[in-house]
Amino acid sequence: TPAQYFHLLRRQVRQEMEKPLVVMTPKSLLRLPAAVSSLDQFISGGFLPVIGDAVDAANVERVVLCSGKVYYDLAAALEKNNPGKIAILRVEQFYPFPLGLLERWLASYTKAQELFWVQEEPRNMGGWTFMRSRLEALLTDNQELRYVGRAASASPATGSYTIHQLEQQALVKEALGL
């Protein structure tokens, strides 16, 4: 969101020790109506390494973890179908890994047995290879982590907008169990 980006840059400038910052974000979010922030989020907010879902944690049976633009596709599909048993966690910062925040969020979903990492990039690209072992370490005995995304590929894109849209719809359906 614009507020997240603002607070990220603000945090980067205010830190005492200079460290590099790598931000990967698509241009398509610049005009996306869902990617907005209120004035209050700019004034009183701060950068959130993990953004949780405002669903009743006691009813959640499936937790979908993602990062980036795919969140908006997942949220739109969830809004249409509104099962109420799915929570979406947005991981906004990969490194340093927000271990404590993810532990707290996942602990609140006591019924959740299914955890999904969802990405629109191919399996051998994107965040999966970095996140997999870290997320597996957070699982309880009755939980399973699954990958949802495109198959491994030498190319980051199919080259066809129509095929991309079909693949995107399929991964959203799989992630949300629709």
Side-chain angles (χ1 to χ4, degrees), residues 61-63 65 112-117 128 135-136 138-147:
E61 295 174 1
R62 179 182 294 207
V63 178
L65 296 113
Q113 293 181 350
E114 298 177 309
L115 271 77
F116 290 81
W117 174 260
W128 173 244
L135 293 174
E136 286 175 340
L138 296 173
L139 298 176
T140 61
D141 290 337
N142 64 336
Q143 290 178 327
E144 176 188 357
L145 177 66
R146 289 185 42 205
Y147 165 83

Side-chain angles (χ1 to χ4, degrees), residues 24-172:
M24 295 183 184
T25 183
K27 292 181 288 188
S28 63
L29 294 182
L30 292 173
R31 291 192 182 102
L32 187 67
V36 296
S37 300
S38 67
L39 185 59
D40 185 52
Q41 290 171 316
F42 282 98
I43 296 169
S44 62
F47 180 75
L48 303 170
V50 178
I51 300 176
D53 211 343
V55 296
D56 183 11
N59 295 330
V60 171
E61 295 174 1
R62 179 182 294 207
V63 178
V64 175
L65 296 113
C66 65
S67 181
K69 183 178 88 132
V70 72
Y71 163 77
Y72 295 101
D73 295 332
L74 293 166
L78 198 58
E79 189 176 313
K80 286 180 187 174
N81 297 294
N82 197 17
K85 297 182 182 211
I86 300 172
I88 302 174
L89 291 179
R90 287 188 273 176
V91 182
E92 297 278 300
Q93 173 181 304
F94 282 18
Y95 191 86
F97 185 69
L99 178 66
L101 288 170
L102 282 171
E103 282 177 332
R104 284 193 293 273
W105 276 108
L106 294 175
S108 69
Y109 303 124
T110 54
K111 282 185 177 178
Q113 293 181 350
E114 298 177 309
L115 271 77
F116 290 81
W117 174 260
V118 180
Q119 67 182 35
E120 60 183 313
E121 299 87 4
R123 188 179 188 115
N124 57 325
M125 301 176 200
W128 173 244
T129 54
F130 180 82
M131 297 299 281
R132 183 179 185 178
S133 62
R134 289 161 178 82
L135 293 174
E136 286 175 340
L138 296 173
L139 298 176
T140 61
D141 290 337
N142 64 336
Q143 290 178 327
E144 176 188 357
L145 177 66
R146 289 185 42 205
Y147 165 83
V148 176
R150 290 173 170 76
S153 173
S155 173
T158 62
S160 165
Y161 181 74
T162 304
I163 293 173
H164 172 79
Q165 288 300 100
L166 291 171
E167 289 176 346
Q168 192 75 356
Q169 290 171 3
L171 72 89
V172 166

